PDB file of all heavy atoms in Angstrom:
ATOM      1  N   VAL A  88      -4.105  -1.853 -10.521  1.00 96.00           N
ATOM      2  CA  VAL A  88      -3.965  -3.307 -10.518  1.00 96.00           C
ATOM      3  C   VAL A  88      -2.654  -3.668 -11.218  1.00 96.00           C
ATOM      4  O   VAL A  88      -2.362  -3.177 -12.310  1.00 96.00           O
ATOM      5  CB  VAL A  88      -5.164  -3.989 -11.221  1.00 96.00           C
ATOM      6  CG1 VAL A  88      -5.016  -5.495 -11.194  1.00 96.00           C
ATOM      7  CG2 VAL A  88      -6.473  -3.569 -10.564  1.00 96.00           C
ATOM      8  N   VAL A  89      -1.865  -4.524 -10.575  1.00 97.00           N
ATOM      9  CA  VAL A  89      -0.553  -4.925 -11.091  1.00 97.00           C
ATOM     10  C   VAL A  89      -0.653  -6.324 -11.680  1.00 97.00           C
ATOM     11  O   VAL A  89      -1.165  -7.242 -11.040  1.00 97.00           O
ATOM     12  CB  VAL A  89       0.501  -4.904  -9.963  1.00 97.00           C
ATOM     13  CG1 VAL A  89       1.860  -5.369 -10.479  1.00 97.00           C
ATOM     14  CG2 VAL A  89       0.597  -3.522  -9.350  1.00 97.00           C
ATOM     15  N   GLY A  90      -0.155  -6.469 -12.914  1.00 96.00           N
ATOM     16  CA  GLY A  90      -0.080  -7.768 -13.560  1.00 96.00           C
ATOM     17  C   GLY A  90       1.375  -8.153 -13.781  1.00 96.00           C
ATOM     18  O   GLY A  90       2.282  -7.385 -13.480  1.00 96.00           O
ATOM     19  N   GLU A  91       1.585  -9.343 -14.324  1.00 95.00           N
ATOM     20  CA  GLU A  91       2.952  -9.811 -14.575  1.00 95.00           C
ATOM     21  C   GLU A  91       3.687  -8.939 -15.589  1.00 95.00           C
ATOM     22  O   GLU A  91       4.894  -8.768 -15.489  1.00 95.00           O
ATOM     23  CB  GLU A  91       2.933 -11.254 -15.073  1.00 95.00           C
ATOM     24  CG  GLU A  91       2.550 -12.246 -14.003  1.00 95.00           C
ATOM     25  CD  GLU A  91       2.593 -13.674 -14.510  1.00 95.00           C
ATOM     26  OE1 GLU A  91       3.355 -13.959 -15.451  1.00 95.00           O
ATOM     27  OE2 GLU A  91       1.851 -14.501 -13.958  1.00 95.00           O
ATOM     28  N   GLN A  92       2.966  -8.404 -16.576  1.00 95.00           N
ATOM     29  CA  GLN A  92       3.588  -7.621 -17.634  1.00 95.00           C
ATOM     30  C   GLN A  92       2.934  -6.267 -17.856  1.00 95.00           C
ATOM     31  O   GLN A  92       3.326  -5.548 -18.783  1.00 95.00           O
ATOM     32  CB  GLN A  92       3.536  -8.403 -18.963  1.00 95.00           C
ATOM     33  CG  GLN A  92       4.279  -9.710 -18.925  1.00 95.00           C
ATOM     34  CD  GLN A  92       5.776  -9.523 -18.796  1.00 95.00           C
ATOM     35  OE1 GLN A  92       6.353  -8.639 -19.395  1.00 95.00           O
ATOM     36  NE2 GLN A  92       6.406 -10.351 -17.987  1.00 95.00           N
ATOM     37  N   GLU A  93       1.935  -5.918 -17.027  1.00 96.00           N
ATOM     38  CA  GLU A  93       1.204  -4.681 -17.283  1.00 96.00           C
ATOM     39  C   GLU A  93       0.562  -4.138 -16.018  1.00 96.00           C
ATOM     40  O   GLU A  93       0.459  -4.825 -15.008  1.00 96.00           O
ATOM     41  CB  GLU A  93       0.121  -4.920 -18.329  1.00 96.00           C
ATOM     42  CG  GLU A  93      -0.925  -5.922 -17.881  1.00 96.00           C
ATOM     43  CD  GLU A  93      -1.870  -6.340 -18.990  1.00 96.00           C
ATOM     44  OE1 GLU A  93      -1.502  -6.223 -20.162  1.00 96.00           O
ATOM     45  OE2 GLU A  93      -2.971  -6.786 -18.659  1.00 96.00           O
ATOM     46  N   LEU A  94       0.154  -2.881 -16.118  1.00 96.00           N
ATOM     47  CA  LEU A  94      -0.595  -2.207 -15.062  1.00 96.00           C
ATOM     48  C   LEU A  94      -1.912  -1.741 -15.645  1.00 96.00           C
ATOM     49  O   LEU A  94      -1.993  -1.385 -16.826  1.00 96.00           O
ATOM     50  CB  LEU A  94       0.160  -0.974 -14.565  1.00 96.00           C
ATOM     51  CG  LEU A  94       1.545  -1.182 -13.994  1.00 96.00           C
ATOM     52  CD1 LEU A  94       2.214   0.166 -13.772  1.00 96.00           C
ATOM     53  CD2 LEU A  94       1.459  -1.944 -12.695  1.00 96.00           C
ATOM     54  N   SER A  95      -2.953  -1.711 -14.826  1.00 96.00           N
ATOM     55  CA  SER A  95      -4.218  -1.132 -15.243  1.00 96.00           C
ATOM     56  C   SER A  95      -4.800  -0.360 -14.074  1.00 96.00           C
ATOM     57  O   SER A  95      -4.407  -0.563 -12.922  1.00 96.00           O
ATOM     58  CB  SER A  95      -5.195  -2.202 -15.745  1.00 96.00           C
ATOM     59  OG  SER A  95      -5.451  -3.152 -14.737  1.00 96.00           O
ATOM     60  N   ALA A  96      -5.700   0.561 -14.378  1.00 96.00           N
ATOM     61  CA  ALA A  96      -6.329   1.371 -13.339  1.00 96.00           C
ATOM     62  C   ALA A  96      -7.804   1.515 -13.674  1.00 96.00           C
ATOM     63  O   ALA A  96      -8.187   1.643 -14.842  1.00 96.00           O
ATOM     64  CB  ALA A  96      -5.667   2.742 -13.252  1.00 96.00           C
ATOM     65  N   TRP A  97      -8.615   1.509 -12.641  1.00 95.00           N
ATOM     66  CA  TRP A  97     -10.064   1.518 -12.809  1.00 95.00           C
ATOM     67  C   TRP A  97     -10.691   2.522 -11.852  1.00 95.00           C
ATOM     68  O   TRP A  97     -10.257   2.661 -10.712  1.00 95.00           O
ATOM     69  CB  TRP A  97     -10.627   0.123 -12.525  1.00 95.00           C
ATOM     70  CG  TRP A  97      -9.965  -0.914 -13.363  1.00 95.00           C
ATOM     71  CD1 TRP A  97      -8.822  -1.599 -13.073  1.00 95.00           C
ATOM     72  CD2 TRP A  97     -10.364  -1.342 -14.657  1.00 95.00           C
ATOM     73  NE1 TRP A  97      -8.497  -2.436 -14.103  1.00 95.00           N
ATOM     74  CE2 TRP A  97      -9.426  -2.300 -15.094  1.00 95.00           C
ATOM     75  CE3 TRP A  97     -11.430  -1.011 -15.485  1.00 95.00           C
ATOM     76  CZ2 TRP A  97      -9.517  -2.928 -16.322  1.00 95.00           C
ATOM     77  CZ3 TRP A  97     -11.521  -1.643 -16.708  1.00 95.00           C
ATOM     78  CH2 TRP A  97     -10.581  -2.589 -17.123  1.00 95.00           C
ATOM     79  N   HIS A  98     -11.732   3.217 -12.337  1.00 95.00           N
ATOM     80  CA  HIS A  98     -12.505   4.100 -11.468  1.00 95.00           C
ATOM     81  C   HIS A  98     -13.408   3.236 -10.600  1.00 95.00           C
ATOM     82  O   HIS A  98     -14.140   2.390 -11.109  1.00 95.00           O
ATOM     83  CB  HIS A  98     -13.354   5.076 -12.294  1.00 95.00           C
ATOM     84  CG  HIS A  98     -12.548   6.093 -13.025  1.00 95.00           C
ATOM     85  ND1 HIS A  98     -11.836   7.075 -12.373  1.00 95.00           N
ATOM     86  CD2 HIS A  98     -12.329   6.271 -14.349  1.00 95.00           C
ATOM     87  CE1 HIS A  98     -11.211   7.825 -13.271  1.00 95.00           C
ATOM     88  NE2 HIS A  98     -11.493   7.356 -14.473  1.00 95.00           N
ATOM     89  N   LEU A  99     -13.339   3.438  -9.307  1.00 94.00           N
ATOM     90  CA  LEU A  99     -14.111   2.618  -8.380  1.00 94.00           C
ATOM     91  C   LEU A  99     -15.617   2.815  -8.545  1.00 94.00           C
ATOM     92  O   LEU A  99     -16.390   1.870  -8.446  1.00 94.00           O
ATOM     93  CB  LEU A  99     -13.706   2.921  -6.935  1.00 94.00           C
ATOM     94  CG  LEU A  99     -12.316   2.439  -6.549  1.00 94.00           C
ATOM     95  CD1 LEU A  99     -11.932   2.973  -5.171  1.00 94.00           C
ATOM     96  CD2 LEU A  99     -12.258   0.935  -6.560  1.00 94.00           C
ATOM     97  N   ARG A 100     -16.054   4.038  -8.781  1.00 94.00           N
ATOM     98  CA  ARG A 100     -17.492   4.314  -8.858  1.00 94.00           C
ATOM     99  C   ARG A 100     -18.141   3.774 -10.130  1.00 94.00           C
ATOM    100  O   ARG A 100     -19.218   3.216 -10.087  1.00 94.00           O
ATOM    101  CB  ARG A 100     -17.752   5.803  -8.727  1.00 94.00           C
ATOM    102  CG  ARG A 100     -17.379   6.323  -7.365  1.00 94.00           C
ATOM    103  CD  ARG A 100     -17.536   7.819  -7.282  1.00 94.00           C
ATOM    104  NE  ARG A 100     -16.773   8.292  -6.150  1.00 94.00           N
ATOM    105  CZ  ARG A 100     -17.312   8.846  -5.095  1.00 94.00           C
ATOM    106  NH1 ARG A 100     -18.587   9.020  -5.024  1.00 94.00           N
ATOM    107  NH2 ARG A 100     -16.548   9.249  -4.107  1.00 94.00           N
ATOM    108  N   SER A 101     -17.443   3.937 -11.258  1.00 95.00           N
ATOM    109  CA  SER A 101     -18.047   3.540 -12.536  1.00 95.00           C
ATOM    110  C   SER A 101     -17.579   2.166 -13.015  1.00 95.00           C
ATOM    111  O   SER A 101     -18.238   1.547 -13.843  1.00 95.00           O
ATOM    112  CB  SER A 101     -17.718   4.570 -13.616  1.00 95.00           C
ATOM    113  OG  SER A 101     -16.326   4.550 -13.918  1.00 95.00           O
ATOM    114  N   GLY A 102     -16.425   1.705 -12.545  1.00 93.00           N
ATOM    115  CA  GLY A 102     -15.864   0.446 -13.026  1.00 93.00           C
ATOM    116  C   GLY A 102     -15.193   0.578 -14.383  1.00 93.00           C
ATOM    117  O   GLY A 102     -14.732  -0.408 -14.950  1.00 93.00           O
ATOM    118  N   LYS A 103     -15.094   1.798 -14.903  1.00 95.00           N
ATOM    119  CA  LYS A 103     -14.486   2.025 -16.218  1.00 95.00           C
ATOM    120  C   LYS A 103     -12.982   2.244 -16.078  1.00 95.00           C
ATOM    121  O   LYS A 103     -12.500   2.664 -15.021  1.00 95.00           O
ATOM    122  CB  LYS A 103     -15.136   3.244 -16.875  1.00 95.00           C
ATOM    123  CG  LYS A 103     -16.586   3.008 -17.203  1.00 95.00           C
ATOM    124  CD  LYS A 103     -17.178   4.198 -17.911  1.00 95.00           C
ATOM    125  CE  LYS A 103     -18.641   3.901 -18.226  1.00 95.00           C
ATOM    126  NZ  LYS A 103     -19.280   4.985 -18.935  1.00 95.00           N
ATOM    127  N   PRO A 104     -12.238   1.972 -17.155  1.00 95.00           N
ATOM    128  CA  PRO A 104     -10.787   2.194 -17.120  1.00 95.00           C
ATOM    129  C   PRO A 104     -10.471   3.659 -16.810  1.00 95.00           C
ATOM    130  O   PRO A 104     -11.139   4.569 -17.299  1.00 95.00           O
ATOM    131  CB  PRO A 104     -10.322   1.830 -18.525  1.00 95.00           C
ATOM    132  CG  PRO A 104     -11.388   0.939 -19.068  1.00 95.00           C
ATOM    133  CD  PRO A 104     -12.670   1.406 -18.434  1.00 95.00           C
ATOM    134  N   ALA A 105      -9.441   3.874 -16.007  1.00 95.00           N
ATOM    135  CA  ALA A 105      -9.041   5.225 -15.629  1.00 95.00           C
ATOM    136  C   ALA A 105      -8.050   5.829 -16.627  1.00 95.00           C
ATOM    137  O   ALA A 105      -7.847   7.033 -16.638  1.00 95.00           O
ATOM    138  CB  ALA A 105      -8.427   5.216 -14.233  1.00 95.00           C
ATOM    139  N   TRP A 106      -7.418   4.985 -17.437  1.00 95.00           N
ATOM    140  CA  TRP A 106      -6.427   5.456 -18.388  1.00 95.00           C
ATOM    141  C   TRP A 106      -6.946   5.323 -19.810  1.00 95.00           C
ATOM    142  O   TRP A 106      -7.870   4.570 -20.090  1.00 95.00           O
ATOM    143  CB  TRP A 106      -5.137   4.662 -18.261  1.00 95.00           C
ATOM    144  CG  TRP A 106      -4.498   4.752 -16.918  1.00 95.00           C
ATOM    145  CD1 TRP A 106      -4.609   5.771 -16.015  1.00 95.00           C
ATOM    146  CD2 TRP A 106      -3.642   3.788 -16.318  1.00 95.00           C
ATOM    147  NE1 TRP A 106      -3.867   5.498 -14.902  1.00 95.00           N
ATOM    148  CE2 TRP A 106      -3.260   4.285 -15.055  1.00 95.00           C
ATOM    149  CE3 TRP A 106      -3.155   2.553 -16.719  1.00 95.00           C
ATOM    150  CZ2 TRP A 106      -2.414   3.596 -14.196  1.00 95.00           C
ATOM    151  CZ3 TRP A 106      -2.313   1.865 -15.871  1.00 95.00           C
ATOM    152  CH2 TRP A 106      -1.941   2.384 -14.629  1.00 95.00           C
ATOM    153  N   ARG A 107      -6.299   6.033 -20.700  1.00 91.00           N
ATOM    154  CA  ARG A 107      -6.655   5.974 -22.118  1.00 91.00           C
ATOM    155  C   ARG A 107      -6.569   4.549 -22.646  1.00 91.00           C
ATOM    156  O   ARG A 107      -7.435   4.075 -23.351  1.00 91.00           O
ATOM    157  CB  ARG A 107      -5.695   6.866 -22.902  1.00 91.00           C
ATOM    158  CG  ARG A 107      -6.304   7.515 -24.101  1.00 91.00           C
ATOM    159  CD  ARG A 107      -5.299   8.403 -24.756  1.00 91.00           C
ATOM    160  NE  ARG A 107      -5.415   9.747 -24.199  1.00 91.00           N
ATOM    161  CZ  ARG A 107      -4.765  10.783 -24.635  1.00 91.00           C
ATOM    162  NH1 ARG A 107      -3.903  10.643 -25.608  1.00 91.00           N
ATOM    163  NH2 ARG A 107      -4.945  11.947 -24.108  1.00 91.00           N
ATOM    164  N   GLU A 108      -5.470   3.864 -22.280  1.00 91.00           N
ATOM    165  CA  GLU A 108      -5.288   2.464 -22.657  1.00 91.00           C
ATOM    166  C   GLU A 108      -5.928   1.587 -21.585  1.00 91.00           C
ATOM    167  O   GLU A 108      -5.957   1.954 -20.417  1.00 91.00           O
ATOM    168  CB  GLU A 108      -3.803   2.103 -22.757  1.00 91.00           C
ATOM    169  CG  GLU A 108      -3.026   2.923 -23.753  1.00 91.00           C
ATOM    170  CD  GLU A 108      -2.465   4.209 -23.140  1.00 91.00           C
ATOM    171  OE1 GLU A 108      -2.594   4.402 -21.918  1.00 91.00           O
ATOM    172  OE2 GLU A 108      -1.937   5.031 -23.881  1.00 91.00           O
ATOM    173  N   LEU A 109      -6.403   0.432 -21.974  1.00 91.00           N
ATOM    174  CA  LEU A 109      -6.962  -0.497 -20.999  1.00 91.00           C
ATOM    175  C   LEU A 109      -5.893  -0.944 -20.015  1.00 91.00           C
ATOM    176  O   LEU A 109      -6.142  -1.097 -18.826  1.00 91.00           O
ATOM    177  CB  LEU A 109      -7.580  -1.706 -21.714  1.00 91.00           C
ATOM    178  CG  LEU A 109      -8.299  -2.712 -20.844  1.00 91.00           C
ATOM    179  CD1 LEU A 109      -9.437  -2.058 -20.068  1.00 91.00           C
ATOM    180  CD2 LEU A 109      -8.832  -3.852 -21.691  1.00 91.00           C
ATOM    181  N   ALA A 110      -4.673  -1.139 -20.524  1.00 93.00           N
ATOM    182  CA  ALA A 110      -3.541  -1.514 -19.680  1.00 93.00           C
ATOM    183  C   ALA A 110      -2.277  -0.908 -20.267  1.00 93.00           C
ATOM    184  O   ALA A 110      -2.183  -0.695 -21.471  1.00 93.00           O
ATOM    185  CB  ALA A 110      -3.413  -3.030 -19.600  1.00 93.00           C
ATOM    186  N   VAL A 111      -1.319  -0.624 -19.402  1.00 94.00           N
ATOM    187  CA  VAL A 111      -0.031  -0.097 -19.822  1.00 94.00           C
ATOM    188  C   VAL A 111       1.001  -1.195 -19.607  1.00 94.00           C
ATOM    189  O   VAL A 111       1.137  -1.720 -18.497  1.00 94.00           O
ATOM    190  CB  VAL A 111       0.344   1.164 -18.997  1.00 94.00           C
ATOM    191  CG1 VAL A 111       1.751   1.621 -19.310  1.00 94.00           C
ATOM    192  CG2 VAL A 111      -0.669   2.276 -19.244  1.00 94.00           C
ATOM    193  N   GLU A 112       1.705  -1.551 -20.678  1.00 95.00           N
ATOM    194  CA  GLU A 112       2.712  -2.607 -20.573  1.00 95.00           C
ATOM    195  C   GLU A 112       3.940  -2.106 -19.830  1.00 95.00           C
ATOM    196  O   GLU A 112       4.366  -0.966 -19.999  1.00 95.00           O
ATOM    197  CB  GLU A 112       3.124  -3.085 -21.966  1.00 95.00           C
ATOM    198  CG  GLU A 112       2.062  -3.936 -22.625  1.00 95.00           C
ATOM    199  CD  GLU A 112       2.586  -4.638 -23.857  1.00 95.00           C
ATOM    200  OE1 GLU A 112       3.745  -5.126 -23.825  1.00 95.00           O
ATOM    201  OE2 GLU A 112       1.842  -4.708 -24.827  1.00 95.00           O
ATOM    202  N   LEU A 113       4.507  -2.992 -19.019  1.00 96.00           N
ATOM    203  CA  LEU A 113       5.759  -2.680 -18.345  1.00 96.00           C
ATOM    204  C   LEU A 113       6.900  -2.832 -19.347  1.00 96.00           C
ATOM    205  O   LEU A 113       6.815  -3.646 -20.277  1.00 96.00           O
ATOM    206  CB  LEU A 113       5.968  -3.635 -17.169  1.00 96.00           C
ATOM    207  CG  LEU A 113       4.960  -3.501 -16.026  1.00 96.00           C
ATOM    208  CD1 LEU A 113       5.155  -4.640 -15.018  1.00 96.00           C
ATOM    209  CD2 LEU A 113       5.104  -2.158 -15.350  1.00 96.00           C
ATOM    210  N   PRO A 114       7.984  -2.070 -19.176  1.00 95.00           N
ATOM    211  CA  PRO A 114       9.137  -2.236 -20.069  1.00 95.00           C
ATOM    212  C   PRO A 114       9.680  -3.663 -19.985  1.00 95.00           C
ATOM    213  O   PRO A 114       9.539  -4.334 -18.954  1.00 95.00           O
ATOM    214  CB  PRO A 114      10.159  -1.237 -19.523  1.00 95.00           C
ATOM    215  CG  PRO A 114       9.357  -0.230 -18.778  1.00 95.00           C
ATOM    216  CD  PRO A 114       8.193  -0.995 -18.214  1.00 95.00           C
ATOM    217  N   GLU A 115      10.321  -4.107 -21.053  1.00 94.00           N
ATOM    218  CA  GLU A 115      10.864  -5.462 -21.096  1.00 94.00           C
ATOM    219  C   GLU A 115      11.813  -5.706 -19.926  1.00 94.00           C
ATOM    220  O   GLU A 115      12.666  -4.872 -19.612  1.00 94.00           O
ATOM    221  CB  GLU A 115      11.609  -5.681 -22.413  1.00 94.00           C
ATOM    222  CG  GLU A 115      12.012  -7.111 -22.610  1.00 94.00           C
ATOM    223  CD  GLU A 115      12.527  -7.371 -24.009  1.00 94.00           C
ATOM    224  OE1 GLU A 115      12.105  -6.680 -24.944  1.00 94.00           O
ATOM    225  OE2 GLU A 115      13.349  -8.288 -24.132  1.00 94.00           O
TER     226      GLU A 115
END
């Protein structure tokens, strides 16, 4: 999932975050 300032990823089966962080911020 792409946001204005961050990216996030989710497991489709469980609905849980796929990455260690809930979201990864994009560089400035």
Side-chain angles (χ1 to χ4, degrees):
V88 181
V89 178
E91 289 182 27
Q92 298 292 320
E93 62 190 23
L94 301 171
S95 59
W97 305 87
H98 291 293
L99 290 171
R100 294 175 198 245
S101 68
K103 294 183 180 181
W106 300 334
R107 213 178 269 186
E108 301 88 6
L109 185 58
V111 173
E112 286 192 41
L113 294 172
E115 189 170 331

